[in-house]
Amino acid sequence: MVLTTTDSQAVAESIANELVSSKLAACGQIDGPIKSVHVCEDQLQSSQELRLSIKTTQAKVAEIVESIKTLHNYELPQILSIPISGGNDDYLKWVAAHIQ
């Protein structure tokens, strides 16, 4: 699974649509709003964001990272890859079947 955040519904939907339609991901879920607290330019800041959870296989993570960098509206987007060690085997097979 790959996670990213953005402050834009349009960007979140664009990323999800591109990754699923290009068969790099089986599903992109948009959650939010969430509140992010971070340091930017030495100042503590908070902002409302959306979280995008992207269901994919390990083999596609590098391509997804590069796609997100291209499509994202942030100069330095959060992009995290979280390995899945188990779960519903039928769902995991569904994910793999929808990725090329």
Side-chain angles (χ1 to χ4, degrees):
M1 182 166 43
V2 176
L3 301 177
T4 191
T5 58
T6 181
D7 60 0
S8 167
Q9 181 76 32
V11 169
E13 290 178 15
S14 174
I15 291 170
N17 288 335
E18 176 63 28
L19 295 177
V20 173
S21 66
S22 66
K23 300 194 183 255
L24 292 175
C27 177
Q29 294 174 317
I30 301 167
D31 303 317
I34 61 172
K35 184 174 184 175
S36 293
V37 178
H38 57 279
V39 174
C40 184
E41 298 177 4
D42 296 325
Q43 297 290 321
L44 185 62
Q45 299 183 11
S46 65
S47 58
Q48 295 285 356
E49 293 185 299
L50 301 166
R51 179 184 302 118
L52 181 55
S53 303
I54 302 153
K55 310 315 187 301
T56 191
T57 60
Q58 187 64 38
K60 296 298 181 181
V61 169
E63 288 178 78
I64 286 175
V65 168
E66 291 308 311
S67 291
I68 292 172
K69 286 180 180 179
T70 300
L71 298 166
H72 211 286
N73 61 321
Y74 290 177
E75 182 179 329
L76 181 61
Q78 167 198 292
I79 307 171
L80 301 173
S81 169
I82 301 172
I84 304 300
S85 63
N88 179 344
D89 285 338
D90 291 334
Y91 179 78
L92 297 174
K93 289 175 187 172
W94 176 84
V95 169
H98 286 82
I99 297 170
Q100 292 182 346

